[in-house]
Amino acid sequence: MLITRRFIDTMRNSLKSDSSEQRYFSGGILANLLSDSTNAAWDDLVAEYRSTESEVITAISHWYHPETAMVAYRCFRPFIPLLNSFTSLASQYWALWAVHHVCTKDPTKYVPMLTRDGVYECIVRLSMQSEDTSCSQVLELARNLHDFVSDFQNGSLNDQNLLPTTIETK
């Protein structure tokens, strides 16, 4: 069983690492685990689920985008379940951050992939949610990413309107 208190604590501690790669990958592992809140393994860890969800959102809201891409993707389809995980805002937030990260580093490669893989539809849907059904960080990042993609597709993307290296949260 992957979901144990010890494992979750290890991943949560990794969210505070000095290494941006370690923070990113531990956030991704937790996002995937949190996206399956119906997993029976969480039944004994209800308090950990809630606090982990909160810690992942808080951690991501303080991440800076490195100057270069940390990862490369050939496909965004694995992000769809995370973006559609309305029981885990942390899962949505991590997936949006990951997609935003690579799209702003290489929009020519990644923006067309968003549409091809059906992820752009998820981003549009998330960007249109109300604050009653989402959290401000997810909404803000979804809207920023939606605007970024629109600017790129309209040919109006330039160095002045690339997203900042840090995501401002309320």
Side-chain angles (χ1 to χ4, degrees):
M1 177 186 335
L2 182 61
I3 304 176
T4 65
R5 184 170 279 113
R6 182 176 176 204
F7 181 77
I8 297 300
D9 288 345
T10 299
M11 290 295 102
R12 285 166 63 172
N13 287 333
S14 293
L15 288 172
K16 301 169 189 127
S17 169
D18 290 337
S19 165
S20 56
E21 290 88 357
Q22 187 173 356
R23 290 189 307 264
Y24 174 80
F25 288 112
S26 64
I29 290 167
L30 289 170
N32 278 279
L33 294 175
L34 289 165
S35 73
D36 188 11
S37 63
T38 61
N39 187 323
W42 282 114
D43 291 348
D44 296 331
L45 301 168
V46 173
E48 282 81 0
Y49 181 90
R50 288 189 196 110
S51 60
T52 301
E53 175 91 2
S54 177
E55 281 186 43
V56 169
I57 290 171
T58 299
I60 295 169
S61 70
H62 292 95
W63 289 356
Y64 288 86
H65 285 278
E67 293 293 320
T68 59
M70 293 185 298
V71 294
Y73 292 107
R74 291 187 293 194
C75 170
F76 283 134
R77 282 184 221 106
F79 288 90
I80 292 174
L82 299 176
L83 294 167
N84 288 332
S85 177
F86 292 95
T87 58
S88 174
L89 297 174
S91 299
Q92 291 177 339
Y93 194 29
W94 180 86
L96 285 167
W97 192 95
V99 169
H100 166 268
H101 171 68
V102 296
C103 282
T104 57
K105 300 301 179 227
D106 191 354
T108 303
K109 176 180 179 182
Y110 289 111
V111 169
M113 192 186 303
L114 289 175
T115 303
R116 182 196 75 203
D117 292 344
V119 171
Y120 187 61
E121 293 171 27
C122 297
I123 292 166
V124 170
R125 188 171 47 253
L126 288 172
S127 72
M128 290 199 262
Q129 287 188 343
S130 72
E131 294 219 14
D132 296 338
T133 58
S134 190
C135 70
S136 61
Q137 294 95 328
V138 169
L139 285 173
E140 182 177 2
L141 189 51
R143 290 171 182 161
N144 284 341
L145 190 51
H146 177 267
D147 291 346
F148 178 87
V149 171
S150 294
D151 288 346
F152 177 81
Q153 290 173 334
N154 294 331
S156 59
L157 186 64
N158 59 45
D159 289 343
Q160 267 66 46
N161 60 359
L162 283 174
L163 294 176
T165 57
T166 183
I167 300 299
E168 298 298 324
T169 58
K170 297 175 183 174

